[in-house]
Amino acid sequence: TKVVLRAVRRRGHSVASVERDRLPTQDELDRMYAYWRDGKTRLPMEELCKFAIASCMRQAEITRVTYEDLDRDSKTIVIRERKNPRQKLDEVVPLIGEAWAILDGKTGTGRIYPYDPQSISSRFTRTCRELGIDDLHFHDLRHLGITNLFKMGLSIQHVAVVSGHKSWTHLKRYTQIRATDVHAALE
């Protein structure tokens, strides 16, 4: 693949991924939640979306976490084989705020959310299309969650522990802080 990338660069093409800055609005989220509450799916989409936002986890990570990896005393969970640029590592991640509230009352064994990530993605995309919500992806919920952590005043280091990012360069792509958010943080 390195040979292909070099050849593409020599031809003057960019190989950098396109950065997204699309965040769902509260109105869009409310519309989706209401739609799913009306029994439009068997998947617990509202809970999955709220957990994705609160935990900042990727879709595949959400569907891999298990009850056995949940530590109720420390309010943490182990994400097995978390995506990393060089290798997949197991990471202990804090469950803060609503992420903890969602999992706190759950009990069982095995995967907490035993669903196919592709089914979640398909349902999310189909719902957006049916509701006329343009250009929104499930992964954008991770962006919203990370942005929310910064708005709460958490440091880069603390947000990185939650999100799993190893560098500020990668983490800042997920951060959609605007000038007005700085004023709000100072109030």
Side-chain angles (χ1 to χ4, degrees), residues 44 47-52 57 59-67 99 102-103 106 110-117 120:
E47 181 177 321
L48 287 163
C49 289
K50 287 180 177 180
F51 187 72
M57 287 184 198
Q59 201 170 303
E61 293 169 348
I62 292 168
T63 60
R64 280 197 320 266
V65 294
T66 67
Y67 288 101
I102 290 170
L103 295 188
K106 291 187 172 292
R111 294 187 309 161
I112 298 170
Y113 296 108
Y115 310 106
D116 180 351
I120 296 168

Side-chain angles (χ1 to χ4, degrees), residues 32-56:
M32 287 190 287
Y33 297 160
Y35 181 82
W36 293 322
R37 274 186 224 123
D38 285 344
K40 303 289 186 189
T41 181
R42 291 189 176 144
L43 294 171
M45 289 300 296
E46 181 176 0
E47 181 177 321
L48 287 163
C49 289
K50 287 180 177 180
F51 187 72
I53 295 166
S55 69
C56 304

Side-chain angles (χ1 to χ4, degrees), residues 12 15 23 32 34 44 63 72 76 78 81 88 97 108 117-119 126 137 139 144 154 159 163 168 171 177 182:
V15 295
L23 297 177
M32 287 190 287
T63 60
R72 294 182 188 283
T76 60
V78 177
E81 297 184 9
K88 293 189 177 202
Q118 191 56 44
S119 296
R126 194 168 30 254
H137 306 158
H139 194 73
L144 177 60
L154 292 180
V159 173
S163 71
W168 169 239
L171 179 57
I177 301 294
V182 176

Side-chain angles (χ1 to χ4, degrees), residues 55-58 61 75-77 79 82 91-96 142 146 149-150 154-167 171:
S55 69
C56 304
M57 287 184 198
R58 296 171 183 89
E61 293 169 348
K75 296 183 182 176
T76 60
I77 196 159
I79 299 176
R82 191 161 210 190
E91 278 188 29
V92 176
V93 177
L95 294 168
I96 57 176
R142 178 168 157 83
I146 290 169
L149 293 179
F150 279 113
L154 292 180
S155 69
I156 292 169
Q157 297 87 342
H158 288 124
V159 173
V161 169
V162 175
S163 71
H165 288 96
K166 303 300 176 228
S167 73
L171 179 57

